Structure formats: structure tokens, C-alpha cells
Amino acid sequence: MDKNALKATAKAMVSAGKGILAADESSSTSEKRFASVGVPCTEENRRQYRDLFLAAPNVEKYISGVILHEETIKQNANDGTAFPVLLQKKGIIPGIKVDKGTKDLGLHPGEKITEGLDGLRERLQEFYKLGARFAKWRAVITIGKGMPTMACIHANAHALARYAALCQEAGLVPMVEPEVLIDGDHTLEQSYKATLATLKKTFEEMADQDVYLPGAILKASMVIAGKSAKKQTSPKDVAKWTVKCLKAAVPKDLAGVVFLSGGQGDEQSTANLNEMNKLGKTPWPLSFSYARALQNPALKIWAKDLAKNVSPARDAFLFRAKMNGLAAVGKYADSMEKGRPYSL
Ligand code: 13P
């Protein structure tokens, strides 16, 4: 394992004022996102859609890395450059989603296990050759009656640790993502308990597998009440409980923490991250790795006219990227939304 290279990559992924664009939607997720705005989910439309973000002028001002889908890492941008090369030229680190999605966990109805360890060593070597320098694996933890079970937390944490070890062996920084879902009507306290147990187990398993933490990134979900809970969580409480949870479970020598948006609103995701960074110094940089919260306004604009709306869609994306870049250093204010270049 080349610890110095891993550490340098991980550090660059969370450099001040920048974050990660998650552009690794699976074909079924892309299908749903495109259907929601009436765009046919063809391979060419997916390529054009990815070009919109990855080839946006000055995207490197706010984005340090991009998580690519296996399809995209092998495609070319509109100017003929391979997408990972285009990113490298801009100083953006190409990443790759390497899990194979979730299946029902045996004997535990309602819970999921992420698959993809078989053949992973060889796939990682291939992605490294294509230019990837980090890799993401998403585990899913559901809150509900009697859930999450320790069986689900343990199985997923173990898989995350094994994937992380293989990544580091192959020269890729693992972006370890145990997502506690926001779906449901659970309370803030339930979210805190589930997230704490998940993170503790994940880092225990990573220690058992000798994962090198200064060369690893955690992609976390925020501690927040369920989407349909009666009492929603204010940004101040999201910040307080998320940071408390991280401090209780995440070793100090980890390179950084980035958050997923998980179905939160675009501005809500920005405001919550900003409040965390306003709380003061944490052992790790806290930044973003959003898909929907960065892409949604752009997708809606682009969908109205795929050929003519590339430029306004890019403006919308770059605006959200800029706001989140400010939130990553606690310098965002919701009054800044007045200056945004789009209306939906
Ligand atoms: P969202 O920000 O849309 O939750 O996506 C992030 C991600 O990469 C989920 O795996």
C-alpha cells in the first residue's frame, strides 16, 4: 500500500471550499430521475447529461472530485476527451462507484446488504488504469420497527471494511458510505442512535482490516429526523447532533468526512452543512458529496430543452456548487440564494 499517495489524494478530495460531485447514478436511478422530467434514459442522453456537469467551465473552483459510474468512466466528453482525462486536466480527481447495489439481507426482512466484493480486486485495477483514484461503496441502513438490526449493521460494516482494504491495496482512496436512510417518520434521536451504532461498527471493522485512515474518506448521512416525521430538524440541530455523533464514533486520523444529500432539499443540504462548519473546528474537514442537491435544479432546466439549455443548466449547477463550497467553510448565508441564476 502506498500510504503517501493515498493520503495526498484523500487530502485533496477535501481541500478547503471544495467538495465532491456524485454523478454515479445506477441505470435504474438514472431511469427514475430522467422519467421525473420526461427525458428518455438513453445511453447518449446519459452521456450528454454527464457532459453538462463534468465539462462545465470553472467547475474545478468548487469541485475536487467526481464519482463516476462505470459507464461514464469509459465514455468521451463532447470534445472527444475521455471523461476521466477531462477531469484530470481540470485538476479534479476521478472516482468510481464500485459496489453492485443492494439485495435483501437474509433472514432480515426490510433490510439490505450491498454486494460487489467478488472480482473487486480485478475491477479496481482496471479502474485505476482508467484514471480513478478513489472509489465509493454505498451501504444502506434502514430505520423502522426493530431496525436497524445489529445483523444488518455488522454485515454491511464488514463488507465496507473489506472493500476499503482492497481499494487501498489498488491505490484508490476508499470513500466509505454507510447511508442511514432519511425515509420514514423516525425521530432525530432514532437517527442519532442508528448512525452512531453504524459508524462505530464500521470503524471497528475497518480497524480489524488494517485500513489506513489518513488515506480514507467517510461519506456520511446527516443525523436528522425522517422525511415524514411530524417534527422536522432545524439546521442548528442537524449540525449539533451530526457533529456530536461523528466525534463519538469517527477516529481523529481519518482524512475527511463528506455528506450525501439523501433526499433533503437543495438549500436544506447547503444550510445544514454550513451550520456544522459554523460550529468550529472538527478533527476532519466536513464537506459535501451530493448528487441530487447539486444536480436537481440543473436537471429540471436541461430537461426543458436538451440542446438549448446546456448553458443555463450549467449556471444552476455551478451556483449550487459554489453555495456548497461556501458551506464547506461555514461562509454560506441563505440571503445568497437571492442572487441565484435560476428559478424553478
Ligand atoms: P444524494 O446526494 O442524492 O443522496 O446522492 C449521494 C450519493 O452518492 C448516494 O450514494
Short mmCIF file of all heavy atoms in Angstrom, two decimals, residues 22 24 33 67 136 138 177 179 219 260-263 289-293, ligand 1:
data_model
loop_
_atom_site.label_atom_id
_atom_site.label_comp_id
_atom_site.label_asym_id
_atom_site.label_seq_id
_atom_site.Cartn_x
_atom_site.Cartn_y
_atom_site.Cartn_z
N ALA A 22 -21.32 13.75 -6.80
CA ALA A 22 -21.69 12.34 -7.03
C ALA A 22 -22.48 12.30 -8.34
O ALA A 22 -23.57 12.87 -8.44
CB ALA A 22 -22.52 11.81 -5.87
N ASP A 24 -22.81 9.24 -10.10
CA ASP A 24 -22.64 7.79 -10.31
C ASP A 24 -23.96 7.05 -10.24
O ASP A 24 -24.00 5.87 -9.86
CB ASP A 24 -21.69 7.25 -9.23
CG ASP A 24 -22.22 7.48 -7.82
OD1 ASP A 24 -22.84 8.53 -7.59
OD2 ASP A 24 -22.02 6.61 -6.95
N ARG A 33 -34.76 9.35 -12.41
CA ARG A 33 -34.51 10.80 -12.45
C ARG A 33 -34.94 11.37 -13.80
O ARG A 33 -35.57 12.42 -13.86
CB ARG A 33 -33.03 11.10 -12.21
CG ARG A 33 -32.46 10.60 -10.93
CD ARG A 33 -32.60 11.59 -9.78
NE ARG A 33 -32.64 10.87 -8.52
CZ ARG A 33 -31.57 10.43 -7.86
NH1 ARG A 33 -30.38 10.72 -8.30
NH2 ARG A 33 -31.70 9.75 -6.74
N ILE A 67 -17.55 11.34 -8.51
CA ILE A 67 -17.78 9.89 -8.52
C ILE A 67 -18.47 9.56 -9.84
O ILE A 67 -19.57 10.04 -10.12
CB ILE A 67 -18.69 9.43 -7.36
CG1 ILE A 67 -18.30 10.11 -6.05
CG2 ILE A 67 -18.65 7.90 -7.23
CD1 ILE A 67 -19.30 9.86 -4.91
N LYS A 136 -16.11 4.53 -4.43
CA LYS A 136 -17.21 4.60 -3.46
C LYS A 136 -17.96 3.28 -3.35
O LYS A 136 -18.16 2.59 -4.36
CB LYS A 136 -18.18 5.69 -3.90
CG LYS A 136 -19.36 5.87 -2.96
CD LYS A 136 -20.44 6.74 -3.53
CE LYS A 136 -21.60 5.91 -4.01
NZ LYS A 136 -22.80 6.71 -4.34
N ARG A 138 -21.57 2.06 -1.33
CA ARG A 138 -22.69 2.54 -0.51
C ARG A 138 -23.40 1.38 0.17
O ARG A 138 -23.84 0.45 -0.50
CB ARG A 138 -23.67 3.31 -1.40
CG ARG A 138 -24.97 3.72 -0.72
CD ARG A 138 -25.79 4.58 -1.67
NE ARG A 138 -27.08 4.92 -1.14
CZ ARG A 138 -28.23 4.31 -1.48
NH1 ARG A 138 -28.21 3.33 -2.37
NH2 ARG A 138 -29.37 4.71 -0.96
N GLU A 177 -19.26 4.62 2.48
CA GLU A 177 -20.57 5.27 2.62
C GLU A 177 -21.61 4.36 3.29
O GLU A 177 -22.28 3.59 2.62
CB GLU A 177 -21.11 5.71 1.25
CG GLU A 177 -22.45 6.42 1.35
CD GLU A 177 -23.06 6.81 0.00
OE1 GLU A 177 -22.57 6.35 -1.04
OE2 GLU A 177 -24.03 7.57 0.03
N GLU A 179 -24.97 4.68 4.45
CA GLU A 179 -26.07 5.66 4.45
C GLU A 179 -27.23 5.20 5.33
O GLU A 179 -27.84 4.17 5.07
CB GLU A 179 -26.60 5.88 3.02
CG GLU A 179 -27.83 6.80 3.01
CD GLU A 179 -28.34 7.19 1.62
OE1 GLU A 179 -27.76 6.74 0.61
OE2 GLU A 179 -29.32 7.96 1.57
N LYS A 219 -18.17 8.87 3.78
CA LYS A 219 -19.33 9.57 3.21
C LYS A 219 -20.51 9.25 4.13
O LYS A 219 -20.98 8.11 4.18
CB LYS A 219 -19.59 9.11 1.78
CG LYS A 219 -20.84 9.75 1.18
CD LYS A 219 -20.78 9.79 -0.34
CE LYS A 219 -22.10 10.26 -0.91
NZ LYS A 219 -22.01 10.61 -2.32
N LEU A 260 -23.73 12.95 2.07
CA LEU A 260 -24.68 12.76 0.96
C LEU A 260 -25.88 13.65 1.25
O LEU A 260 -26.10 14.07 2.40
CB LEU A 260 -25.09 11.29 0.89
CG LEU A 260 -25.68 10.68 2.16
CD1 LEU A 260 -27.18 10.65 2.15
CD2 LEU A 260 -25.13 9.29 2.38
N SER A 261 -26.69 13.95 0.23
CA SER A 261 -27.86 14.80 0.50
C SER A 261 -29.08 13.93 0.82
O SER A 261 -29.98 14.39 1.53
CB SER A 261 -28.12 15.77 -0.64
OG SER A 261 -28.28 15.13 -1.88
N GLY A 262 -29.15 12.73 0.29
CA GLY A 262 -30.12 11.75 0.76
C GLY A 262 -31.60 12.06 0.58
O GLY A 262 -32.42 11.46 1.25
N GLY A 263 -31.92 13.05 -0.25
CA GLY A 263 -33.33 13.40 -0.42
C GLY A 263 -33.71 14.67 0.32
O GLY A 263 -34.87 15.10 0.29
N SER A 289 -20.69 15.62 -0.70
CA SER A 289 -20.57 14.71 -1.84
C SER A 289 -22.00 14.45 -2.33
O SER A 289 -22.52 13.35 -2.20
CB SER A 289 -19.89 13.40 -1.41
OG SER A 289 -19.92 12.48 -2.49
N TYR A 290 -22.61 15.51 -2.81
CA TYR A 290 -24.03 15.45 -3.16
C TYR A 290 -24.25 15.03 -4.61
O TYR A 290 -23.47 15.38 -5.49
CB TYR A 290 -24.69 16.82 -2.98
CG TYR A 290 -24.68 17.38 -1.58
CD1 TYR A 290 -24.72 18.76 -1.36
CD2 TYR A 290 -24.64 16.55 -0.46
CE1 TYR A 290 -24.73 19.31 -0.09
CE2 TYR A 290 -24.64 17.09 0.83
CZ TYR A 290 -24.70 18.46 1.01
OH TYR A 290 -24.70 18.99 2.27
N ALA A 291 -25.35 14.32 -4.82
CA ALA A 291 -25.83 14.07 -6.18
C ALA A 291 -27.03 14.98 -6.40
O ALA A 291 -26.92 16.04 -7.03
CB ALA A 291 -26.20 12.60 -6.36
N ARG A 292 -28.19 14.60 -5.80
CA ARG A 292 -29.41 15.37 -6.06
C ARG A 292 -29.29 16.84 -5.69
O ARG A 292 -29.75 17.71 -6.43
CB ARG A 292 -30.59 14.72 -5.31
CG ARG A 292 -31.09 13.49 -6.00
CD ARG A 292 -31.98 12.67 -5.09
NE ARG A 292 -31.20 11.93 -4.10
CZ ARG A 292 -31.73 11.12 -3.19
NH1 ARG A 292 -33.03 10.96 -3.13
NH2 ARG A 292 -30.96 10.46 -2.35
N ALA A 293 -28.70 17.15 -4.54
CA ALA A 293 -28.66 18.55 -4.09
C ALA A 293 -27.79 19.43 -4.99
O ALA A 293 -27.90 20.65 -4.96
CB ALA A 293 -28.18 18.62 -2.65
P1 13P B 1 -27.55 12.07 -2.90
O1 13P B 1 -26.77 13.30 -2.55
O2 13P B 1 -28.57 12.30 -3.97
O3 13P B 1 -28.09 11.37 -1.69
O4 13P B 1 -26.54 11.05 -3.56
C1 13P B 1 -25.30 10.86 -3.00
C2 13P B 1 -24.82 9.51 -3.25
O5 13P B 1 -23.78 9.31 -3.83
C3 13P B 1 -25.62 8.39 -2.77
O6 13P B 1 -24.88 7.20 -2.86
#
